[in-house]
């Protein structure tokens, strides 16, 4: 496996993000079952409680994991196609949870004769769900359909990456607006301004959601933790095999295989592709014979 630059820092941030994410899920479960009415599907307040629970689990936690899944160095042994399916699967699951949470809200509002779509929270939230759906369609059509030209994938990749980070940030902001709105409307005696235990507890949940979002965004935007190009991964794999065999024959350690740091290519990677074909050169640099090499 290729060595990752600043791996210890990456590992600390990854463990922190996962830990904070799990704590967020525990917090929202305690909010729903301890401070609120639990869960049901009867048009009442217990049905509404599906909304914050599914948003935190799916639209925030799972979406966050989907954003950074390419950057996990343990997945670099998997093919790019396999990682695309994992990335798409996590996003589809998150989208399904978000849609179910919206159904719960509309069902509760209609049963209680509460107007729909009047608050900023609802506007931004619905916009985020619609953009998320468009983002998934773009990803499935462009990056999972094999007939899509490489130059099209390369041209749309910045839009796809930025769109994912923008939507994720919008979801975090919408969740913070939503829990504040719920506390203001839901707490009567004592009121939200009096800082009862539920208000303090849910405020801490909001802080944890913001921290989780910040950790995911930091991991997702560090260039040194980007998944290496496929030709680099194939080159390391092909070089590791004879190195490990030779080390075993000499009684050495198979771990003496070649190690590379992310973003720094082997000298041969600059001169040839994994199939041994030379790369075309021009006055401005080197152009890959494969055309549209894409990393997420």
């Amino acid at each position: 496996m290729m060595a990752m630059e600043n791996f210890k820092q990456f590992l600390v941030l990854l463990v922190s993000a996962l830990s904070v994410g799990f704590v967020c899920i525990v917090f929202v479960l305690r909010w729903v079952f301890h401070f609120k009415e639990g869960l049901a599907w009867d048009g009442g307040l217990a049905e509404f409680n599906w909304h914050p629970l599914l948003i935190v689990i799916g639209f925030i936690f799972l979406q966050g994991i989907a954003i950074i899944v390419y950057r996990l160095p343990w997945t670099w042994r998997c093919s790019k196609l396999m990682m695309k399916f994992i990335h798409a699967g996590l996003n589809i699951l998150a989208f399904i949870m978000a849609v179910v949470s919206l159904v719960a809200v509309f069902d509760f509002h209609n049963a209680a004769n509460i107007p729909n779509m009047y608050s900023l929270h609802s506007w931004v939230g619905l916009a985020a769900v619609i953009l998320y759906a468009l983002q998934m369609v773009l990803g499935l059509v462009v990056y999972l359909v094999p007939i899509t030209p490489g130059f099209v994938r390369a041209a749309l990749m910045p839009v796809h990456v930025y769109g994912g980070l923008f939507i994720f940030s919008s979801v975090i902001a919408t969740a913070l607006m939503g829990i504040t709105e719920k506390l203001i409307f839901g707490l009567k005696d004592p009121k939200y301004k009096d800082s009862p235990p539920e208000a303090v507890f849910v405020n801490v949940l909001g802080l944890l959601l913001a921290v989780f979002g910040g950790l995911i965004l930091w991991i997702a935007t560090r260039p040194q933790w980007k998944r290496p190009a496929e030709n680099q991964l194939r080159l390391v794999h092909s070089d590791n095999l004879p190195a490990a065999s030779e080390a075993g024959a000499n009684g050495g350690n198979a771990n003496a295989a070649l190690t590379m740091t992310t973003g720094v290519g082997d000298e041969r990677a600059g001169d040839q592709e994994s199939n041994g074909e030379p790369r075309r050169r021009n006055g401005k640099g080197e152009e890959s014979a494969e055309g549209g090499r894409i990393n997420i």
Side-chain angles (χ1 to χ4, degrees):
M1 183 179 70
M2 294 180 65
M4 170 182 277
E5 184 179 347
N6 296 327
F7 175 73
K8 291 183 178 179
Q9 183 186 57
F10 172 84
L11 191 60
V12 169
L13 291 172
L14 177 64
V15 171
S16 299
L18 293 176
S19 300
V20 173
F22 281 123
V23 172
C24 288
I25 294 174
V26 172
F27 263 59
V28 75
L29 282 170
R30 179 167 175 77
W31 184 27
V32 165
F33 286 103
H34 179 71
F35 292 102
K36 294 301 181 185
E37 303 78 14
L39 296 173
W41 200 270
D42 55 3
L45 288 169
E47 180 174 345
F48 176 89
N49 292 337
W50 282 105
H51 181 65
L53 179 63
L54 293 178
I55 289 296
V56 171
I57 295 177
F59 219 19
I60 294 178
F61 183 74
L62 287 183
Q63 184 184 177
I65 300 304
I67 287 174
I68 63 172
V69 70
Y70 280 103
R71 295 183 170 234
L72 304 180
W74 309 280
T75 67
W76 293 352
R77 296 179 180 179
C78 302
S79 68
K80 190 65 175 289
L81 182 61
M82 174 63 70
M83 294 311 302
K84 287 181 180 180
F85 279 115
I86 293 174
H87 178 71
L90 289 171
N91 279 300
I92 291 173
L93 184 58
F95 178 73
I96 292 173
M97 289 186 175
V99 170
V100 174
S101 76
L102 290 183
V103 173
V105 171
F106 282 105
D107 197 28
F108 166 72
H109 281 183
N110 293 335
N113 293 319
I114 299 175
N116 292 305
M117 301 302 299
Y118 66 89
S119 67
L120 180 61
H121 165 71
S122 61
W123 289 15
V124 178
L126 184 60
V129 173
I130 294 173
L131 289 175
Y132 197 68
L134 295 175
Q135 172 86 341
M136 286 198 307
V137 172
L138 173 68
L140 293 173
V141 171
V142 175
Y143 299 109
L144 278 179
V145 176
I147 63 173
T148 305
F151 73 91
V152 174
R153 298 184 179 191
L156 291 178
M157 179 54 68
V159 177
H160 186 65
V161 172
Y162 175 80
L165 298 179
F166 174 76
I167 293 170
F168 178 70
S169 302
S170 300
V171 170
I172 296 289
T174 305
L176 298 182
M177 288 189 289
I179 61 178
T180 303
E181 182 179 295
K182 179 63 176 176
L183 290 174
I184 292 174
F185 292 158
L187 294 178
K188 301 298 183 182
D189 188 21
K191 296 182 178 180
Y192 183 34
K193 65 182 180 65
D194 298 321
S195 297
E198 180 181 352
V200 175
F201 183 83
V202 178
N203 283 347
V204 174
L205 170 61
L207 290 176
L208 290 172
L209 291 174
V211 171
F212 176 76
L215 290 170
I216 293 296
L217 292 174
W218 183 263
I219 294 173
T221 54
R222 298 309 95 192
Q224 68 268 28
W225 297 335
K226 189 176 182 181
R227 178 184 170 95
E230 292 305 290
N231 64 323
Q232 290 182 346
L233 293 174
R234 289 193 296 264
L235 183 62
V236 170
H237 179 70
S238 62
D239 284 351
N240 276 342
L241 293 178
S245 300
E246 182 179 352
N250 295 333
N253 189 347
N255 289 331
L258 174 66
T259 306
M260 296 175 62
T261 55
T262 306
V264 180
D266 187 282
E267 291 181 359
R268 285 174 294 175
D271 296 326
Q272 63 183 19
E273 295 295 314
S274 60
N275 59 6
E277 292 294 328
R279 303 177 78 179
R280 300 193 300 274
R281 301 175 181 269
N282 55 35
K284 298 181 180 179
E286 297 182 350
E287 180 184 0
S288 171
E290 292 180 354
R293 185 180 65 198
I294 302 170
N295 285 320
I296 298 178

